[in-house]
Amino acid sequence: MLKKRKTLTTLLIWLALQFLCMIPAFLIIFPIAKATDMSMEERGTYMTLITLILAQLLSLLIFRLLKYFRFSETVKPVPKAKTLIMSVAGGISLFYAINIIQAQFDIPDLLEQQMEGLLSSVWGFIAICILAPLSEEVMMRRIILKDMWRKTGKMWGGILISSAIFAIIHLNPAQVVFAFPAAIILGWLYAVTGSLSVPILVHMANNSIAFFTSQTDADDPVLSDPKTIAVLAATLAAGLILMWLIAKEKRKADLLSGQEAEITESEEVREEL
């Protein structure tokens, strides 16, 4: 039953963990806050941090116990270095273009203060740049995308449904707007390369860049600036060209695989004769 309703079960587990992990987080932070006169803002930041880390670790453990994935799938199959480099470079280029476009609109960021606290600590880096990409890619791409692909019978059915879910669960409007197109890119990379390590590394690279650039006071790009338009055009072009090259590599690999299968089949026929 759990395997037949894999997507629903996965989402319910994830949602339950977001709330249940607040309890140990509160039990850890409350006595410390009382003893050290910790501010309310600091309490909220540490509560969020502990909740995130616990929920991410427990979700991976539970999904593995349910046999929804294997830990080896996060690193295998290992893609070619060329494919990996193009995937990371192409993904980051497109993500940057999406950020430029998003910056042109006044989208409310409900978690701005909490994120500022998380983006200024080592534990925040571990939670946001390592554990979040790992747990989210396992949940959204390996489990939900693959399940929806199987149920709809179409690759793009799995990509679009899983991307919509990925955007919705972020809840924060500023993250939702970015998450949907970003998830489409990550889902496509997973579907085309067949390697979960690819979207994991692209996701990690994106979050790491966001983590470190958040420490700067750079102004949001505006399209009235010719330099911004040039950067947008360049990143879009670079990203799309790299994605095209990845698809081309995939078609070439499929063709060679098909030719090898035909050769093997003909050799078996000759042996039988």
Side-chain angles (χ1 to χ4, degrees):
M1 180 64 74
L2 291 180
K3 289 196 173 183
K4 287 182 179 179
R5 297 180 177 178
K6 191 177 289 187
T7 293
L8 179 60
T9 304
T10 298
L11 289 172
L12 288 175
I13 290 170
W14 180 87
L15 186 62
L17 287 173
Q18 305 310 304
F19 289 100
L20 292 175
C21 289
M22 289 181 183
I23 298 172
F26 175 79
L27 294 175
I28 292 170
I29 293 300
F30 181 74
I32 297 174
K34 195 172 181 180
T36 60
D37 293 326
M38 189 182 292
S39 69
M40 290 300 294
E41 185 177 330
E42 289 175 323
R43 294 183 192 187
T45 297
Y46 287 117
M47 277 277 294
T48 302
L49 182 58
I50 294 171
T51 301
L52 279 175
I53 292 175
L54 287 176
Q56 289 160 356
L57 290 174
L58 287 173
S59 66
L60 287 171
L61 178 60
I62 292 170
F63 296 148
R64 179 63 192 98
L65 291 174
L66 290 173
K67 298 182 179 180
Y68 283 2
F69 84 107
R70 296 186 301 274
F71 284 110
S72 61
E73 291 178 87
T74 60
V75 292
K76 295 179 181 180
V78 179
K80 292 181 180 179
K82 181 181 176 182
T83 301
L84 193 56
I85 292 169
M86 289 193 298
S87 297
V88 173
I92 294 303
S93 294
L94 291 175
F95 288 170
Y96 191 76
I98 295 168
N99 268 319
I100 292 176
I101 295 170
Q102 181 177 335
Q104 310 313 306
F105 304 94
D106 187 19
I107 303 172
D109 189 350
L110 306 180
L111 300 177
E112 186 174 1
Q113 287 189 339
Q114 285 186 335
M115 290 304 294
E116 285 178 1
L118 293 176
L119 294 171
S120 60
S121 70
V122 174
W123 286 105
F125 177 84
I126 292 171
I128 294 170
C129 303
I130 298 175
L131 291 178
L134 182 60
S135 62
E136 288 176 1
E137 292 309 311
V138 166
M139 180 175 78
M140 300 309 309
R141 256 54 74 180
R142 170 58 184 87
I143 300 174
I144 295 178
L145 187 155
K146 204 166 183 179
D147 186 44
M148 290 295 101
W149 186 348
R150 179 180 59 81
K151 288 179 178 177
T152 62
K154 296 180 180 179
M155 180 186 80
W156 280 106
I159 291 174
L160 292 174
I161 293 172
S162 62
S163 297
I165 293 172
F166 182 69
I168 291 168
I169 64 172
H170 279 81
L171 298 177
N172 184 23
Q175 289 177 296
V176 169
V177 173
F178 176 83
F180 182 65
I184 291 175
I185 295 166
L186 292 169
W188 183 85
L189 286 170
Y190 174 56
V192 171
T193 64
S195 174
L196 188 60
S197 62
V198 171
I200 287 174
L201 287 175
V202 174
H203 199 154
M204 284 181 174
N206 176 71
N207 286 15
S208 297
I209 291 170
F211 183 91
F212 290 112
T213 55
S214 69
Q215 312 301 324
T216 64
D217 295 324
D219 295 328
D220 288 336
V222 290
L223 287 179
S224 58
D225 185 352
K227 290 182 180 179
T228 300
I229 297 175
V231 170
L232 176 60
T235 51
L236 271 175
L240 292 173
I241 289 170
L242 287 167
M243 294 302 164
W244 176 76
L245 290 172
I246 293 168
K248 186 179 178 182
E249 284 285 318
K250 170 65 174 174
R251 288 194 296 270
K252 182 180 177 181
D254 288 345
L255 180 62
L256 290 173
S257 177
Q259 290 174 345
E260 288 175 0
E262 288 177 4
I263 292 170
T264 302
E265 185 177 349
S266 63
E267 287 176 349
E268 289 175 353
V269 170
R270 282 199 299 270
E271 286 176 3
E272 289 176 1
L273 295 174

mmCIF file of all heavy atoms in Angstrom, residues 132-178:
data_model
loop_
_atom_site.group_PDB
_atom_site.id
_atom_site.type_symbol
_atom_site.label_atom_id
_atom_site.label_comp_id
_atom_site.label_asym_id
_atom_site.label_seq_id
_atom_site.Cartn_x
_atom_site.Cartn_y
_atom_site.Cartn_z
ATOM 1 N N ALA A 132 19.967 19.881 2.794
ATOM 2 C CA ALA A 132 18.741 20.223 2.050
ATOM 3 C C ALA A 132 18.791 19.731 0.601
ATOM 4 O O ALA A 132 17.846 19.076 0.144
ATOM 5 C CB ALA A 132 18.486 21.723 2.100
ATOM 6 N N PRO A 133 19.861 19.997 -0.143
ATOM 7 C CA PRO A 133 19.913 19.465 -1.515
ATOM 8 C C PRO A 133 19.855 17.941 -1.562
ATOM 9 O O PRO A 133 19.183 17.369 -2.433
ATOM 10 C CB PRO A 133 21.266 19.973 -2.033
ATOM 11 C CG PRO A 133 21.536 21.196 -1.241
ATOM 12 C CD PRO A 133 20.998 20.899 0.119
ATOM 13 N N LEU A 134 20.530 17.293 -0.625
ATOM 14 C CA LEU A 134 20.547 15.832 -0.599
ATOM 15 C C LEU A 134 19.156 15.272 -0.331
ATOM 16 O O LEU A 134 18.641 14.434 -1.093
ATOM 17 C CB LEU A 134 21.533 15.347 0.462
ATOM 18 C CG LEU A 134 21.713 13.833 0.597
ATOM 19 C CD1 LEU A 134 22.217 13.227 -0.696
ATOM 20 C CD2 LEU A 134 22.668 13.519 1.745
ATOM 21 N N SER A 135 18.514 15.729 0.738
ATOM 22 C CA SER A 135 17.198 15.189 1.111
ATOM 23 C C SER A 135 16.115 15.601 0.107
ATOM 24 O O SER A 135 15.238 14.802 -0.228
ATOM 25 C CB SER A 135 16.811 15.654 2.518
ATOM 26 O OG SER A 135 16.707 17.063 2.589
ATOM 27 N N GLU A 136 16.182 16.830 -0.397
ATOM 28 C CA GLU A 136 15.159 17.305 -1.333
ATOM 29 C C GLU A 136 15.264 16.621 -2.687
ATOM 30 O O GLU A 136 14.247 16.314 -3.310
ATOM 31 C CB GLU A 136 15.251 18.823 -1.493
ATOM 32 C CG GLU A 136 14.771 19.578 -0.261
ATOM 33 C CD GLU A 136 14.950 21.082 -0.383
ATOM 34 O OE1 GLU A 136 15.437 21.543 -1.451
ATOM 35 O OE2 GLU A 136 14.626 21.798 0.576
ATOM 36 N N GLU A 137 16.479 16.368 -3.151
ATOM 37 C CA GLU A 137 16.635 15.684 -4.438
ATOM 38 C C GLU A 137 16.212 14.217 -4.336
ATOM 39 O O GLU A 137 15.617 13.676 -5.264
ATOM 40 C CB GLU A 137 18.075 15.799 -4.939
ATOM 41 C CG GLU A 137 18.485 17.203 -5.335
ATOM 42 C CD GLU A 137 17.494 17.847 -6.298
ATOM 43 O OE1 GLU A 137 17.126 17.219 -7.305
ATOM 44 O OE2 GLU A 137 17.069 18.992 -6.023
ATOM 45 N N VAL A 138 16.512 13.582 -3.217
ATOM 46 C CA VAL A 138 16.053 12.199 -3.016
ATOM 47 C C VAL A 138 14.529 12.169 -3.013
ATOM 48 O O VAL A 138 13.905 11.334 -3.690
ATOM 49 C CB VAL A 138 16.604 11.622 -1.689
ATOM 50 C CG1 VAL A 138 15.856 10.340 -1.306
ATOM 51 C CG2 VAL A 138 18.094 11.327 -1.818
ATOM 52 N N MET A 139 13.921 13.086 -2.278
ATOM 53 C CA MET A 139 12.459 13.096 -2.156
ATOM 54 C C MET A 139 11.780 13.512 -3.467
ATOM 55 O O MET A 139 10.888 12.814 -3.961
ATOM 56 C CB MET A 139 12.029 14.055 -1.043
ATOM 57 C CG MET A 139 10.511 14.115 -0.857
ATOM 58 S SD MET A 139 9.999 15.127 0.547
ATOM 59 C CE MET A 139 10.165 16.774 -0.121
ATOM 60 N N MET A 140 12.220 14.638 -4.046
ATOM 61 C CA MET A 140 11.505 15.201 -5.183
ATOM 62 C C MET A 140 11.850 14.530 -6.510
ATOM 63 O O MET A 140 10.973 14.297 -7.340
ATOM 64 C CB MET A 140 11.777 16.706 -5.298
ATOM 65 C CG MET A 140 11.364 17.502 -4.083
ATOM 66 S SD MET A 140 9.653 17.222 -3.513
ATOM 67 C CE MET A 140 8.731 17.453 -5.014
ATOM 68 N N ARG A 141 13.135 14.260 -6.732
ATOM 69 C CA ARG A 141 13.526 13.684 -8.016
ATOM 70 C C ARG A 141 13.516 12.158 -7.988
ATOM 71 O O ARG A 141 12.861 11.519 -8.805
ATOM 72 C CB ARG A 141 14.917 14.205 -8.408
ATOM 73 C CG ARG A 141 14.910 15.251 -9.469
ATOM 74 C CD ARG A 141 14.021 16.455 -9.178
ATOM 75 N NE ARG A 141 14.540 17.357 -8.179
ATOM 76 C CZ ARG A 141 13.928 18.456 -7.772
ATOM 77 N NH1 ARG A 141 12.744 18.787 -8.277
ATOM 78 N NH2 ARG A 141 14.460 19.235 -6.855
ATOM 79 N N ARG A 142 14.203 11.553 -7.046
ATOM 80 C CA ARG A 142 14.301 10.093 -7.034
ATOM 81 C C ARG A 142 12.956 9.428 -6.726
ATOM 82 O O ARG A 142 12.589 8.424 -7.347
ATOM 83 C CB ARG A 142 15.350 9.638 -6.009
ATOM 84 C CG ARG A 142 15.383 8.131 -5.728
ATOM 85 C CD ARG A 142 15.643 7.326 -6.986
ATOM 86 N NE ARG A 142 15.568 5.903 -6.713
ATOM 87 C CZ ARG A 142 14.459 5.185 -6.740
ATOM 88 N NH1 ARG A 142 13.295 5.762 -7.029
ATOM 89 N NH2 ARG A 142 14.492 3.884 -6.488
ATOM 90 N N ILE A 143 12.219 9.975 -5.765
ATOM 91 C CA ILE A 143 10.979 9.306 -5.351
ATOM 92 C C ILE A 143 9.767 9.844 -6.124
ATOM 93 O O ILE A 143 9.097 9.106 -6.832
ATOM 94 C CB ILE A 143 10.762 9.451 -3.831
ATOM 95 C CG1 ILE A 143 11.937 8.824 -3.058
ATOM 96 C CG2 ILE A 143 9.451 8.783 -3.421
ATOM 97 C CD1 ILE A 143 11.887 9.039 -1.564
ATOM 98 N N ILE A 144 9.481 11.136 -5.982
ATOM 99 C CA ILE A 144 8.233 11.683 -6.536
ATOM 100 C C ILE A 144 8.279 11.793 -8.063
ATOM 101 O O ILE A 144 7.329 11.387 -8.744
ATOM 102 C CB ILE A 144 7.908 13.038 -5.880
ATOM 103 C CG1 ILE A 144 7.617 12.826 -4.386
ATOM 104 C CG2 ILE A 144 6.716 13.704 -6.572
ATOM 105 C CD1 ILE A 144 7.322 14.087 -3.610
ATOM 106 N N LEU A 145 9.351 12.363 -8.621
ATOM 107 C CA LEU A 145 9.433 12.474 -10.086
ATOM 108 C C LEU A 145 9.347 11.095 -10.735
ATOM 109 O O LEU A 145 8.590 10.892 -11.688
ATOM 110 C CB LEU A 145 10.731 13.175 -10.498
ATOM 111 C CG LEU A 145 10.894 13.510 -11.983
ATOM 112 C CD1 LEU A 145 11.849 14.691 -12.164
ATOM 113 C CD2 LEU A 145 11.411 12.335 -12.820
ATOM 114 N N LYS A 146 10.108 10.157 -10.202
ATOM 115 C CA LYS A 146 10.127 8.816 -10.789
ATOM 116 C C LYS A 146 8.757 8.141 -10.655
ATOM 117 O O LYS A 146 8.296 7.447 -11.566
ATOM 118 C CB LYS A 146 11.200 7.973 -10.103
ATOM 119 C CG LYS A 146 11.716 6.826 -10.944
ATOM 120 C CD LYS A 146 12.987 6.251 -10.364
ATOM 121 C CE LYS A 146 13.538 5.156 -11.262
ATOM 122 N NZ LYS A 146 14.800 4.598 -10.727
ATOM 123 N N ASP A 147 8.096 8.361 -9.517
ATOM 124 C CA ASP A 147 6.777 7.770 -9.295
ATOM 125 C C ASP A 147 5.749 8.378 -10.254
ATOM 126 O O ASP A 147 4.935 7.664 -10.852
ATOM 127 C CB ASP A 147 6.350 8.012 -7.843
ATOM 128 C CG ASP A 147 5.052 7.297 -7.490
ATOM 129 O OD1 ASP A 147 4.908 6.119 -7.876
ATOM 130 O OD2 ASP A 147 4.194 7.911 -6.838
ATOM 131 N N MET A 148 5.790 9.708 -10.422
ATOM 132 C CA MET A 148 4.852 10.384 -11.330
ATOM 133 C C MET A 148 5.153 10.059 -12.787
ATOM 134 O O MET A 148 4.240 9.974 -13.613
ATOM 135 C CB MET A 148 4.903 11.898 -11.101
ATOM 136 C CG MET A 148 4.304 12.361 -9.781
ATOM 137 S SD MET A 148 2.512 12.053 -9.679
ATOM 138 C CE MET A 148 2.474 10.564 -8.672
ATOM 139 N N TRP A 149 6.412 9.871 -13.120
ATOM 140 C CA TRP A 149 6.803 9.463 -14.471
ATOM 141 C C TRP A 149 6.201 8.099 -14.796
ATOM 142 O O TRP A 149 5.643 7.871 -15.865
ATOM 143 C CB TRP A 149 8.325 9.435 -14.557
ATOM 144 C CG TRP A 149 8.904 9.181 -15.923
ATOM 145 C CD1 TRP A 149 8.247 8.760 -17.044
ATOM 146 C CD2 TRP A 149 10.278 9.339 -16.305
ATOM 147 N NE1 TRP A 149 9.119 8.639 -18.103
ATOM 148 C CE2 TRP A 149 10.369 8.983 -17.683
ATOM 149 C CE3 TRP A 149 11.425 9.728 -15.635
ATOM 150 C CZ2 TRP A 149 11.579 9.018 -18.377
ATOM 151 C CZ3 TRP A 149 12.634 9.762 -16.326
ATOM 152 C CH2 TRP A 149 12.698 9.416 -17.680
ATOM 153 N N ARG A 150 6.286 7.195 -13.822
ATOM 154 C CA ARG A 150 5.739 5.848 -14.012
ATOM 155 C C ARG A 150 4.217 5.881 -14.132
ATOM 156 O O ARG A 150 3.640 5.210 -14.991
ATOM 157 C CB ARG A 150 6.154 4.965 -12.827
ATOM 158 C CG ARG A 150 5.631 3.532 -12.896
ATOM 159 C CD ARG A 150 6.099 2.743 -11.687
ATOM 160 N NE ARG A 150 5.664 3.336 -10.443
ATOM 161 C CZ ARG A 150 4.454 3.170 -9.921
ATOM 162 N NH1 ARG A 150 3.548 2.432 -10.555
ATOM 163 N NH2 ARG A 150 4.134 3.726 -8.771
ATOM 164 N N LYS A 151 3.573 6.709 -13.320
ATOM 165 C CA LYS A 151 2.113 6.743 -13.318
ATOM 166 C C LYS A 151 1.529 7.452 -14.547
ATOM 167 O O LYS A 151 0.480 7.051 -15.053
ATOM 168 C CB LYS A 151 1.608 7.413 -12.035
ATOM 169 C CG LYS A 151 1.786 6.535 -10.799
ATOM 170 C CD LYS A 151 1.311 7.222 -9.540
ATOM 171 C CE LYS A 151 1.452 6.284 -8.343
ATOM 172 N NZ LYS A 151 1.063 6.937 -7.069
ATOM 173 N N THR A 152 2.185 8.520 -15.006
ATOM 174 C CA THR A 152 1.688 9.247 -16.171
ATOM 175 C C THR A 152 2.185 8.632 -17.471
ATOM 176 O O THR A 152 1.587 8.860 -18.531
ATOM 177 C CB THR A 152 2.127 10.722 -16.132
ATOM 178 O OG1 THR A 152 3.565 10.796 -16.175
ATOM 179 C CG2 THR A 152 1.625 11.407 -14.882
ATOM 180 N N GLY A 153 3.278 7.882 -17.379
ATOM 181 C CA GLY A 153 3.862 7.288 -18.573
ATOM 182 C C GLY A 153 4.650 8.284 -19.405
ATOM 183 O O GLY A 153 5.072 7.972 -20.518
ATOM 184 N N LYS A 154 4.853 9.496 -18.867
ATOM 185 C CA LYS A 154 5.575 10.524 -19.607
ATOM 186 C C LYS A 154 6.620 11.190 -18.716
ATOM 187 O O LYS A 154 6.346 11.517 -17.563
ATOM 188 C CB LYS A 154 4.592 11.590 -20.120
ATOM 189 C CG LYS A 154 3.589 11.052 -21.131
ATOM 190 C CD LYS A 154 2.660 12.142 -21.606
ATOM 191 C CE LYS A 154 1.661 11.597 -22.620
ATOM 192 N NZ LYS A 154 0.726 12.652 -23.090
ATOM 193 N N MET A 155 7.809 11.402 -19.311
ATOM 194 C CA MET A 155 8.883 12.053 -18.570
ATOM 195 C C MET A 155 8.461 13.441 -18.095
ATOM 196 O O MET A 155 8.651 13.803 -16.925
ATOM 197 C CB MET A 155 10.128 12.166 -19.442
ATOM 198 C CG MET A 155 11.312 12.843 -18.754
ATOM 199 S SD MET A 155 12.714 13.129 -19.873
ATOM 200 C CE MET A 155 12.156 14.620 -20.720
ATOM 201 N N TRP A 156 7.875 14.229 -19.012
ATOM 202 C CA TRP A 156 7.495 15.595 -18.648
ATOM 203 C C TRP A 156 6.334 15.629 -17.661
ATOM 204 O O TRP A 156 6.183 16.600 -16.910
ATOM 205 C CB TRP A 156 7.173 16.406 -19.895
ATOM 206 C CG TRP A 156 8.419 16.898 -20.560
ATOM 207 C CD1 TRP A 156 8.985 16.443 -21.707
ATOM 208 C CD2 TRP A 156 9.285 17.931 -20.066
ATOM 209 N NE1 TRP A 156 10.155 17.123 -21.972
ATOM 210 C CE2 TRP A 156 10.359 18.050 -20.990
ATOM 211 C CE3 TRP A 156 9.264 18.770 -18.956
ATOM 212 C CZ2 TRP A 156 11.390 18.965 -20.819
ATOM 213 C CZ3 TRP A 156 10.297 19.681 -18.787
ATOM 214 C CH2 TRP A 156 11.341 19.780 -19.712
ATOM 215 N N GLY A 157 5.531 14.586 -17.641
ATOM 216 C CA GLY A 157 4.489 14.495 -16.619
ATOM 217 C C GLY A 157 5.118 14.414 -15.243
ATOM 218 O O GLY A 157 4.710 15.116 -14.310
ATOM 219 N N GLY A 158 6.122 13.563 -15.097
ATOM 220 C CA GLY A 158 6.827 13.428 -13.829
ATOM 221 C C GLY A 158 7.559 14.695 -13.443
ATOM 222 O O GLY A 158 7.533 15.120 -12.283
ATOM 223 N N ILE A 159 8.216 15.346 -14.424
ATOM 224 C CA ILE A 159 8.985 16.558 -14.146
ATOM 225 C C ILE A 159 8.073 17.691 -13.687
ATOM 226 O O ILE A 159 8.345 18.354 -12.666
ATOM 227 C CB ILE A 159 9.792 16.988 -15.392
ATOM 228 C CG1 ILE A 159 10.912 15.987 -15.677
ATOM 229 C CG2 ILE A 159 10.374 18.392 -15.197
ATOM 230 C CD1 ILE A 159 11.665 16.237 -16.969
ATOM 231 N N LEU A 160 6.996 17.938 -14.406
ATOM 232 C CA LEU A 160 6.120 19.074 -14.102
ATOM 233 C C LEU A 160 5.353 18.883 -12.791
ATOM 234 O O LEU A 160 5.231 19.823 -11.994
ATOM 235 C CB LEU A 160 5.141 19.317 -15.251
ATOM 236 C CG LEU A 160 5.781 19.827 -16.548
ATOM 237 C CD1 LEU A 160 4.748 19.893 -17.662
ATOM 238 C CD2 LEU A 160 6.424 21.199 -16.336
ATOM 239 N N ILE A 161 4.858 17.678 -12.551
ATOM 240 C CA ILE A 161 4.120 17.429 -11.303
ATOM 241 C C ILE A 161 5.045 17.546 -10.098
ATOM 242 O O ILE A 161 4.710 18.202 -9.103
ATOM 243 C CB ILE A 161 3.446 16.041 -11.337
ATOM 244 C CG1 ILE A 161 2.345 16.010 -12.396
ATOM 245 C CG2 ILE A 161 2.856 15.703 -9.956
ATOM 246 C CD1 ILE A 161 1.756 14.634 -12.640
ATOM 247 N N SER A 162 6.203 16.925 -10.177
ATOM 248 C CA SER A 162 7.150 16.985 -9.056
ATOM 249 C C SER A 162 7.656 18.412 -8.845
ATOM 250 O O SER A 162 7.885 18.836 -7.706
ATOM 251 C CB SER A 162 8.331 16.038 -9.282
ATOM 252 O OG SER A 162 9.076 16.401 -10.434
ATOM 253 N N SER A 163 7.811 19.176 -9.931
ATOM 254 C CA SER A 163 8.268 20.568 -9.814
ATOM 255 C C SER A 163 7.211 21.439 -9.139
ATOM 256 O O SER A 163 7.539 22.306 -8.321
ATOM 257 C CB SER A 163 8.604 21.130 -11.198
ATOM 258 O OG SER A 163 9.664 20.411 -11.789
ATOM 259 N N ALA A 164 5.943 21.209 -9.484
ATOM 260 C CA ALA A 164 4.855 21.962 -8.851
ATOM 261 C C ALA A 164 4.788 21.661 -7.355
ATOM 262 O O ALA A 164 4.628 22.569 -6.533
ATOM 263 C CB ALA A 164 3.530 21.613 -9.523
ATOM 264 N N ILE A 165 4.952 20.391 -7.007
ATOM 265 C CA ILE A 165 4.940 20.008 -5.587
ATOM 266 C C ILE A 165 6.122 20.636 -4.857
ATOM 267 O O ILE A 165 5.991 21.156 -3.746
ATOM 268 C CB ILE A 165 4.979 18.466 -5.455
ATOM 269 C CG1 ILE A 165 3.689 17.848 -5.993
ATOM 270 C CG2 ILE A 165 5.193 18.059 -3.997
ATOM 271 C CD1 ILE A 165 3.714 16.335 -6.091
ATOM 272 N N PHE A 166 7.290 20.608 -5.507
ATOM 273 C CA PHE A 166 8.506 21.181 -4.916
ATOM 274 C C PHE A 166 8.312 22.667 -4.622
ATOM 275 O O PHE A 166 8.728 23.167 -3.573
ATOM 276 C CB PHE A 166 9.675 20.982 -5.887
ATOM 277 C CG PHE A 166 10.995 21.479 -5.373
ATOM 278 C CD1 PHE A 166 11.638 20.857 -4.316
ATOM 279 C CD2 PHE A 166 11.622 22.567 -5.976
ATOM 280 C CE1 PHE A 166 12.860 21.309 -3.845
ATOM 281 C CE2 PHE A 166 12.848 23.023 -5.521
ATOM 282 C CZ PHE A 166 13.473 22.394 -4.453
ATOM 283 N N ALA A 167 7.671 23.376 -5.546
ATOM 284 C CA ALA A 167 7.435 24.803 -5.348
ATOM 285 C C ALA A 167 6.442 25.044 -4.217
ATOM 286 O O ALA A 167 6.663 25.894 -3.344
ATOM 287 C CB ALA A 167 6.920 25.428 -6.647
ATOM 288 N N ILE A 168 5.365 24.275 -4.211
ATOM 289 C CA ILE A 168 4.299 24.478 -3.216
ATOM 290 C C ILE A 168 4.783 24.239 -1.789
ATOM 291 O O ILE A 168 4.427 24.992 -0.874
ATOM 292 C CB ILE A 168 3.096 23.570 -3.533
ATOM 293 C CG1 ILE A 168 2.408 24.029 -4.820
ATOM 294 C CG2 ILE A 168 2.093 23.568 -2.377
ATOM 295 C CD1 ILE A 168 1.401 23.040 -5.371
ATOM 296 N N ILE A 169 5.603 23.212 -1.576
ATOM 297 C CA ILE A 169 6.018 22.888 -0.205
ATOM 298 C C ILE A 169 6.942 23.951 0.395
ATOM 299 O O ILE A 169 7.139 23.970 1.613
ATOM 300 C CB ILE A 169 6.712 21.503 -0.112
ATOM 301 C CG1 ILE A 169 8.024 21.479 -0.893
ATOM 302 C CG2 ILE A 169 5.770 20.403 -0.564
ATOM 303 C CD1 ILE A 169 8.834 20.209 -0.685
ATOM 304 N N HIS A 170 7.487 24.836 -0.444
ATOM 305 C CA HIS A 170 8.333 25.901 0.105
ATOM 306 C C HIS A 170 7.491 26.985 0.790
ATOM 307 O O HIS A 170 8.012 27.723 1.640
ATOM 308 C CB HIS A 170 9.197 26.512 -1.003
ATOM 309 C CG HIS A 170 10.421 25.713 -1.312
ATOM 310 N ND1 HIS A 170 10.401 24.599 -2.121
ATOM 311 C CD2 HIS A 170 11.705 25.848 -0.897
ATOM 312 C CE1 HIS A 170 11.627 24.093 -2.198
ATOM 313 N NE2 HIS A 170 12.432 24.829 -1.466
ATOM 314 N N LEU A 171 6.208 27.117 0.376
ATOM 315 C CA LEU A 171 5.238 28.025 1.006
ATOM 316 C C LEU A 171 5.607 29.507 0.882
ATOM 317 O O LEU A 171 4.752 30.334 0.582
ATOM 318 C CB LEU A 171 5.049 27.671 2.482
ATOM 319 C CG LEU A 171 4.483 26.265 2.761
ATOM 320 C CD1 LEU A 171 4.418 26.018 4.254
ATOM 321 C CD2 LEU A 171 3.120 26.079 2.134
ATOM 322 N N ASN A 172 6.851 29.861 1.126
ATOM 323 C CA ASN A 172 7.283 31.257 1.047
ATOM 324 C C ASN A 172 7.217 31.752 -0.399
ATOM 325 O O ASN A 172 7.868 31.186 -1.279
ATOM 326 C CB ASN A 172 8.722 31.371 1.570
ATOM 327 C CG ASN A 172 9.210 32.801 1.610
ATOM 328 O OD1 ASN A 172 8.420 33.741 1.664
ATOM 329 N ND2 ASN A 172 10.520 32.973 1.572
ATOM 330 N N PRO A 173 6.420 32.811 -0.700
ATOM 331 C CA PRO A 173 6.234 33.276 -2.086
ATOM 332 C C PRO A 173 7.536 33.509 -2.845
ATOM 333 O O PRO A 173 7.657 33.125 -4.014
ATOM 334 C CB PRO A 173 5.460 34.593 -1.906
ATOM 335 C CG PRO A 173 4.715 34.408 -0.635
ATOM 336 C CD PRO A 173 5.608 33.600 0.255
ATOM 337 N N ALA A 174 8.528 34.115 -2.196
ATOM 338 C CA ALA A 174 9.801 34.399 -2.863
ATOM 339 C C ALA A 174 10.506 33.116 -3.287
ATOM 340 O O ALA A 174 11.170 33.073 -4.334
ATOM 341 C CB ALA A 174 10.702 35.213 -1.937
ATOM 342 N N GLN A 175 10.363 32.062 -2.501
ATOM 343 C CA GLN A 175 10.997 30.790 -2.835
ATOM 344 C C GLN A 175 10.166 29.998 -3.840
ATOM 345 O O GLN A 175 10.724 29.307 -4.694
ATOM 346 C CB GLN A 175 11.197 29.963 -1.562
ATOM 347 C CG GLN A 175 12.266 30.521 -0.646
ATOM 348 C CD GLN A 175 12.389 29.728 0.650
ATOM 349 O OE1 GLN A 175 11.458 29.676 1.444
ATOM 350 N NE2 GLN A 175 13.523 29.107 0.853
ATOM 351 N N VAL A 176 8.843 30.112 -3.753
ATOM 352 C CA VAL A 176 7.956 29.378 -4.660
ATOM 353 C C VAL A 176 8.206 29.783 -6.112
ATOM 354 O O VAL A 176 8.311 28.938 -7.000
ATOM 355 C CB VAL A 176 6.470 29.623 -4.297
ATOM 356 C CG1 VAL A 176 5.550 29.090 -5.393
ATOM 357 C CG2 VAL A 176 6.139 28.949 -2.962
ATOM 358 N N VAL A 177 8.318 31.083 -6.346
ATOM 359 C CA VAL A 177 8.502 31.604 -7.706
ATOM 360 C C VAL A 177 9.790 31.068 -8.321
ATOM 361 O O VAL A 177 9.840 30.732 -9.507
ATOM 362 C CB VAL A 177 8.509 33.150 -7.700
ATOM 363 C CG1 VAL A 177 8.878 33.696 -9.068
ATOM 364 C CG2 VAL A 177 7.149 33.676 -7.266
ATOM 365 N N PHE A 178 10.849 30.987 -7.527
ATOM 366 C CA PHE A 178 12.127 30.470 -8.027
ATOM 367 C C PHE A 178 12.122 28.951 -8.102
ATOM 368 O O PHE A 178 12.686 28.356 -9.038
ATOM 369 C CB PHE A 178 13.272 30.931 -7.114
ATOM 370 C CG PHE A 178 14.612 30.368 -7.495
ATOM 371 C CD1 PHE A 178 15.368 30.958 -8.491
ATOM 372 C CD2 PHE A 178 15.114 29.235 -6.858
ATOM 373 C CE1 PHE A 178 16.609 30.435 -8.856
ATOM 374 C CE2 PHE A 178 16.345 28.701 -7.210
ATOM 375 C CZ PHE A 178 17.101 29.310 -8.216
#
